[in-house]
């Protein structure tokens, strides 16, 4: 009787119009030390024929390394080493797509991205563009991709960005830094092998890990959050605290940061980043600052927005003896500063998530300038 | 330089032969209150034509409810109400498959399971068997399914089993209770609408939630665990503690238990359950005890295996005023008791996970008998 009443009440509530994102998850994932050795077997059934190659896009950090020899290329597969020193660009994607189309008579069997966020986002974008017409800047935005991407596999060799699990490929375009957000962006397969993190330099480990930590602080303190994203975000946040504030053995830290990045990326499904990412986008657009360090440069000055997060971040900086660059914005021209502020200010969803719908009343461009000037 | 040395060292380690499970995740998930209203739109592009129906397998708890009127059937779709009073059986699956084949000239567009673990596992098994030959008991085991299942969608209306995300469909067969574990078992789409939990009766809410809690205790204390499963299991465990030991608002509890079930199900990827599940399988085989309550009946007596978990469980029982049935095993014949012990004892992977490879030395059948006699 009670149940029936409840049902009747509920049926009213349920009639409200809803439209939640039908989120695409990576449909296949393998996790384990040494799992990179399974890549050959994973790719084999996906080879359309011996003329349709796999293209491996690999961080050039691994060029001439023993690791590069372990990449399972066959037939006329191609390994392309790419520098991750700069943020991935739309023109880079278009160049790669043109090159691959010119090199082969038919479309590849798939694309494999091996590296950090830069390589993983490049590989996602290349896989999309090999299935779609035009140039990649035409697809920066939300759900602009109409046709499926090529089969694509992500193999992270550094953890924190969440690029291995997200439905976006963030690119610097001619006019904006913006992701190709689409259901076709997500990887078809991810290989999570914590062994691959062994060669990450200390500073890079820290900055990329902080991408995850800061992103969790922003989403957990945002207005967009729901229980799905909260649960992933909380787990990623806890794992980051363990990794960067406790004294874990190296192997445990590698495994936990790899999972923090994974859960952090998942948490974005129904949440959004906030102040640090908005302002970091400005830095990156004007100065080409890499995403990880850009977030850190901004975040250190955001104690009024994220008091607990910034306090923990300061402890992490100290524990890992990281000295952030100073005077990064001190030589900017007035025009450059204005562009930086405009880029940051234009990230409306991020500000709304951070400060609510009336964010413009709470946030002046002067305020942004004063923060940038501290960096 | 340091990096290169590390790479060289690593290349030795990496040559070890590995074979981790390439785990299938649910490729699409929508989460949100009222998201059930999106089901019609989700199914539409999956309709092969107006003659290829969707078959909705629905817990008969919802027969004649307002909720049933919201199931988006069209054309010659069919809604089949099924009792969840008993554990799902292979013969039930075979009957449903035969009926669906007889009712239509062509294969359905897909199967939608709406209910708890029983309905969700039934729907998974029916989707598999509509794509494969023979009877469902032939597929109980690991990776015996050769051909794809029909497109299938899971809509949980009670949370805890993890059936919405797992790659198994546990069935009572003529000879054993065992899952159809395969890459084709996992749902193609899951709709997580916390509103649907509103009508769950209190006891059922508790027993099903404890399925998740106990499963986390077992996997987190098991020898099979890796960092992937640990991170999911820890989150599910924390959420269960919040739901069953804190005083959450109803809506928050619904959402958190829904996510606990989700993460708990994911944690099984690289872990295994343990003592409670092994012994609960025995109860269920001989007495038909439902999985959720069966786990609780066993788990209360496992303080020597899981001291912290059992202590928290006792607090949860007390807080939610749950009185477990007594003397459940007191009228068993000696033969029935022997069968129960044999079924439990045969779950080798579960015992190995719980107690290590030398589990047989630590666990006598007498010991099992003494625990069953307390129930």
């Amino acid at each position: 009787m009670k149940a029936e009443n409840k049902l009747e009440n509920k049926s009213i509530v349920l009639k409200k119009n809803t439209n939640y994102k039908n989120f695409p998850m990576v449909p296949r994932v393998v996790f384990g030390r040494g799992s990179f050795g399974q890549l050959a077997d994973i790719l084999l059934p996906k080879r359309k024929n011996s003329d349709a190659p796999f293209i491996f896009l690999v961080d050039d950090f691994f060029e001439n390394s023993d690791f590069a020899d372990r990449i399972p290329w066959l037939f006329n597969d191609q390994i392309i080493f790419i520098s991750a020193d700069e943020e991935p660009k739309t023109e880079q994607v278009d160049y790669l797509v043109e090159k691959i189309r010119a090199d082969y008579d038919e479309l590849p069997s798939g694309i494999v991205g091996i590296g950090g966020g830069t390589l993983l986002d490049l590989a996602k974008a290349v896989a999309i563009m090999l299935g779609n017409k035009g140039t990649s800047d035409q697809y920066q935005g939300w759900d602009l991709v109409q046709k499926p991407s090529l089969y694509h596999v992500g193999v992270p060799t550094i953890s924190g960005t969440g690029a291995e699990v997200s439905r976006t490929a963030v690119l610097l375009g001619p006019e904006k830094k913006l992701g190709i957000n689409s259901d076709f962006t997500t990887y078809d397969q991810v290989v999570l092998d914590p062994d691959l993190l062994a060669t990450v330099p200390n500073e890079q480990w820290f900055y990329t890990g902080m991408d995850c930590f800061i992103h969790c602080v922003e989403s957990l303190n945002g207005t967009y959050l729901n229980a799905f994203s909260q649960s992933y975000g909380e787990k990623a946040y806890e794992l980051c605290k363990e990794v960067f504030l406790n004294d874990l053995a190296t192997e445990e830290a590698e495994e936990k940061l790899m999972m923090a990045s994974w859960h952090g990326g998942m948490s974005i499904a129904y949440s959004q980043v906030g102040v640090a990412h908005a302002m970091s986008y400005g830095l990156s657009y004007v100065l080409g600052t890499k995403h990880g360090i850009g977030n850190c440069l901004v975040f250190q000055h955001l104690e009024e927005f994220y008091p607990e997060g910034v306090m923990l971040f300061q402890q992490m900086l100290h524990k890992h003896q990281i000295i952030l660059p100073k005077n990064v914005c001190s030589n900017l021209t007035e025009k450059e500063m204005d562009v930086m502020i405009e880029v940051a200010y234009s990230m409306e969803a991020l500000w709304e998530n951070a400060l609510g719908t009336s964010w413009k009343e709470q946030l002046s461009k002067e305020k942004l300038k004063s923060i940038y000037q501290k960096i």
Side-chain angles (χ1 to χ4, degrees), chain A:
Chain A
M1 207 40 208
K2 191 179 155 224
E4 277 176 33
N5 283 337
K6 270 176 131 183
L7 261 182
E8 278 165 32
N9 292 338
K10 274 290 150 185
S11 68
I12 298 162
V13 178
L14 287 167
K15 274 174 194 151
K16 74 186 173 213
N17 194 13
T18 60
N19 195 16
Y20 302 97
K21 197 191 297 167
N22 192 5
F23 191 76
M25 300 218 296
V26 171
R28 287 276 179 165
V29 56
V30 58
F31 178 97
R33 290 197 171 270
S35 60
F36 185 74
Q38 289 171 244
L39 185 57
D41 288 342
I42 289 170
L43 300 183
L44 199 59
K46 302 292 179 181
R47 289 181 183 274
K48 291 186 280 189
N49 60 61
S50 57
D51 289 331
F54 268 101
I55 310 294
F56 298 88
L57 305 181
V58 184
D59 190 323
D60 69 1
F61 176 83
F62 296 109
E63 202 166 358
N64 304 317
S65 73
D66 285 358
F67 172 69
D69 294 337
R70 297 181 60 238
I71 295 171
W73 63 275
L74 282 178
F75 310 122
N76 51 3
D77 287 357
Q78 195 172 159
I79 301 178
I80 303 175
F81 290 102
I82 296 170
S83 166
D85 288 346
E86 296 184 5
E87 297 275 283
K89 296 179 181 58
T90 53
E91 60 186 34
Q92 217 178 347
V93 172
D94 298 334
Y95 167 79
L96 286 163
V97 169
E98 206 172 322
K99 176 181 159 49
I100 293 166
R101 287 215 166 106
D103 285 353
Y104 299 96
D105 291 337
E106 63 178 305
L107 280 177
S109 294
I111 306 294
V112 183
I114 302 179
T118 296
L119 265 292
L120 293 178
D121 277 357
L122 268 180
K124 289 197 270 190
V126 167
I128 289 168
M129 293 311 301
L130 283 166
N132 287 270
K133 290 185 175 162
T135 53
S136 54
D137 62 319
Q138 296 172 287
Y139 297 95
Q140 286 180 286
W142 279 266
D143 300 306
L144 302 172
V145 182
Q146 299 300 324
K147 290 163 77 180
S149 47
L150 255 59
Y151 174 76
H152 53 304
V153 180
V155 185
T157 61
I158 184 169
S159 287
T161 67
E164 65 277 21
V165 74
S166 72
R167 77 187 282 280
T168 188
V170 183
L171 300 174
L172 266 176
E175 284 170 20
K176 53 193 180 240
K177 178 177 173 182
L178 187 60
I180 301 180
N181 296 270
S182 86
D183 289 346
F184 302 115
T185 308
T186 311
Y187 277 109
D188 297 300
Q189 166 82 54
V190 169
V191 176
L192 297 174
D193 182 347
D195 275 350
L196 305 187
L197 304 193
T199 51
V200 177
N202 185 48
E203 287 209 337
Q204 201 51 47
W205 165 268
F206 185 84
Y207 292 135
T208 311
M210 286 306 105
D211 188 7
C212 181
F213 178 72
I214 292 169
H215 154 162
C216 289
V217 171
E218 291 176 302
S219 61
L220 292 171
N221 288 286
T223 58
Y224 284 14
L225 197 70
N226 71 6
F228 184 94
S229 286
Q230 186 186 359
S231 67
Y232 282 103
E234 283 173 351
K235 189 66 214 177
Y237 184 77
E238 289 304 317
L239 288 167
C240 285
K241 285 203 293 184
E242 276 192 71
V243 169
F244 290 102
L245 291 173
N246 294 358
D247 295 303
L248 303 183
T250 306
E251 293 216 337
E252 190 177 357
E254 289 164 354
E255 292 166 10
K256 290 199 160 169
L257 190 58
M258 190 160 247
M259 290 314 300
S261 178
W262 182 257
H263 293 307
M266 279 301 301
S267 82
I268 215 70
Y270 299 102
S271 72
Q272 204 15 305
V273 285
V275 182
H277 273 76
M279 295 192 66
S280 168
Y281 272 36
L283 275 183
S284 155
Y285 189 80
V286 174
L287 295 171
T289 314
K290 291 268 299 181
H291 186 71
I293 192 169
N295 282 340
C296 290
L297 287 169
V298 175
F299 192 66
Q300 63 180 327
H301 299 300
L302 299 185
E303 59 283 350
E304 70 178 286
F305 299 102
Y306 307 115
E308 184 191 292
V310 174
M311 184 194 69
L312 293 174
F313 175 70
Q314 297 290 359
Q315 290 173 18
M316 292 170 180
L317 277 176
H318 182 256
K319 185 172 172 72
H320 295 269
Q321 301 176 354
I322 300 291
I323 312 288
L324 292 174
K326 286 196 167 60
N327 302 318
V328 174
C329 293
S330 56
N331 293 321
L332 288 181
T333 64
E334 206 155 321
K335 197 181 160 200
E336 286 172 325
M337 177 60 89
D338 285 346
V339 172
M340 199 176 271
I341 291 166
E342 283 310 318
V343 168
Y345 207 77
S346 71
M347 311 300 288
E348 301 206 354
L350 281 63
W351 293 109
E352 187 177 302
N353 177 51
L355 305 172
T357 46
S358 60
W359 64 273
K360 283 189 182 165
E361 291 159 30
Q362 296 170 60
L363 185 87
S364 65
K365 295 185 180 175
E366 275 309 305
K367 178 79 193 177
L368 288 188
K369 188 170 185 175
S370 76
I371 296 172
Y372 276 132
Q373 282 171 334
K374 288 188 208 165
I375 294 171

